[in-house]
Amino acid sequence: MAQIIDGKAVSARVKANVRKEADELKKQGIEIGLAVVIVGNDPASRVYVNNKKKACEEVGFTSYEYALPEETTEKELLELVDKLNNDDKVNGILVQLPLPKQINENSIINAIRPDKDVDAFHPANVGHIMIGDFSFLPCTPAGVMELIAETGVDVCGKNCVVIGRSNIVGKPMAMLLLHKHGTVTICHSRTKDLAEICARADILVAAVGKAKFVTPDMIKEGAVVIDVGMNRNENGKLCGDVDYDACFDKAGYITPVPGGVGPMTIAMLMKNTLTAAKIKNNIK
Ligand code: GUN
């Protein structure tokens, strides 16, 4: 039977540490600000943005929300990013993805100042992650690493399989596991014998975007199973990529959805914003 990895508890700990440091900085007159930009009416994005604002309150940051209409042009959004890049009160800029189709996401990501890029999506930050010399870690993969650390399982030498190759999760996830000396395989929609590869994983990270994609035959007995998925099932209920109930007995450790990776992503965003403020103010 698996042990449940409690993302809510781990994220509360991360946020408490951020709060402590933010309170110290406040005593020195340093206020920390995060700008959160949302374009359009995507309901899932609205939930994420609200949760990010709530987390700012919890850790003592000021959040600045910019909610722009669906028909916003790329030029208008670039102008806002430019304004935020030059705003001293803003330590971190987060533009919630996905963006409406008339806006090129890469143009926006490229326009964010790398030292305010608390998502770590800018190519300069991606490069830093690749060579293992980074200030900001991408929030979701960094949160997953914290959850793996929580199990006490050492990544060094383990077979690690990541399902999904997105820029936000799959690719940086593989890199962080590699930095910890895991033997890493990335699987995706064209992978042959995917189930067999997954079944050899000591650590399996699912970031596919399909409910119940990971079934018990794809899990090694006792494996660490991390579910990054955020899907809605046929009843509209939030569920991950892993068939949780069916896999529970076989996994060694498993993250629930909700209450696993989700809260960690936000906690790591707070940590990155704190880091951005510390770098700006030359604080180690
Ligand atoms: N959309 C889904 N995940 C993320 C994330 O981590 N950051 C941003 N900016 N948008 C997202």
Side-chain angles (χ1 to χ4, degrees):
M1 201 171 75
Q3 287 189 46
I4 298 169
I5 315 172
D6 184 349
K8 270 195 197 159
V10 182
S11 72
R13 218 162 56 215
V14 172
K15 284 188 284 186
N17 287 333
V18 172
R19 168 103 218 184
K20 221 189 287 169
E21 285 202 58
D23 286 347
E24 281 303 314
L25 293 181
K26 237 179 226 169
K27 285 183 199 153
Q28 302 172 41
I30 298 166
E31 288 276 345
I32 303 177
L34 175 66
V36 182
V37 182
I38 176 169
V39 186
N41 313 309
D42 180 54
S45 289
R46 178 34 70 192
V47 173
Y48 294 143
V49 163
N50 288 349
N51 288 340
K52 286 167 185 177
K53 278 166 54 190
K54 193 164 139 265
C56 282
E57 274 170 39
E58 281 172 39
V59 300
F61 298 171
T62 306
S63 65
Y64 304 96
E65 183 184 314
Y66 296 83
L68 306 181
E70 182 76 31
E71 60 276 11
T72 300
T73 64
E74 186 173 304
K75 183 164 171 282
E76 285 167 333
L77 186 53
L78 285 170
E79 279 164 9
L80 173 61
V81 168
D82 185 53
K83 187 178 106 161
L84 298 172
N85 279 343
N86 294 300
D87 185 339
D88 264 349
K89 293 195 298 301
V90 171
N91 297 104
I93 302 170
L94 181 135
V95 179
Q96 186 66 31
L97 305 179
L99 291 167
K101 56 184 180 324
Q102 73 276 16
I103 301 176
N104 183 306
E105 284 184 357
N106 284 340
S107 306
I108 304 303
I109 289 168
N110 289 341
I112 296 172
R113 261 174 69 155
D115 59 351
K116 293 191 178 189
D117 169 39
V118 285
D119 266 322
F121 290 169
H122 189 285
N125 286 325
V126 174
H128 285 304
I129 291 156
M130 190 88 178
I131 59 176
D133 169 29
F134 39 75
S135 309
F136 303 130
L137 286 172
C139 301
T140 299
V144 171
M145 293 309 287
E146 293 280 330
L147 293 177
I148 294 170
E150 188 68 12
T151 66
V153 171
D154 186 2
V155 175
C156 181
K158 297 288 189 321
N159 272 335
C160 305
V161 174
V162 179
I163 322 174
R165 54 175 160 175
S166 71
N167 290 336
I168 296 184
V169 183
K171 288 182 206 167
M173 186 73 249
M175 211 44 65
L176 299 195
L177 289 163
L178 187 61
H179 289 325
K180 291 286 180 198
H181 315 292
T183 303
V184 185
T185 306
I186 305 177
C187 295
H188 48 79
S189 52
R190 313 277 172 91
T191 298
K192 291 197 173 67
D193 306 322
L194 185 137
E196 245 168 68
I197 295 167
C198 293
R200 288 199 291 270
D202 304 300
I203 298 171
L204 181 66
V205 180
V208 192
K210 284 189 189 146
K212 296 192 178 177
F213 184 85
V214 176
T215 45
D217 58 301
M218 295 164 70
I219 289 182
K220 180 176 169 179
E221 190 85 41
V224 177
V225 178
I226 307 280
D227 191 347
V228 183
M230 286 272 196
N231 314 296
R232 298 269 165 195
N233 71 8
E234 56 283 2
N235 305 317
K237 195 170 153 260
L238 196 63
C239 62
D241 292 342
V242 177
D243 188 344
Y244 183 88
D245 293 334
C247 294
F248 191 81
D249 283 338
K250 202 166 177 196
Y253 300 87
I254 194 163
T255 61
V257 177
V261 175
M264 290 307 298
T265 298
I266 297 180
M268 302 320 281
L269 174 69
M270 298 300 115
K271 197 170 167 185
N272 279 347
T273 308
L274 171 71
T275 302
K278 284 164 72 177
I279 291 171
K280 180 180 170 227
N281 291 284
N282 279 321
I283 295 165
K284 283 266 178 270

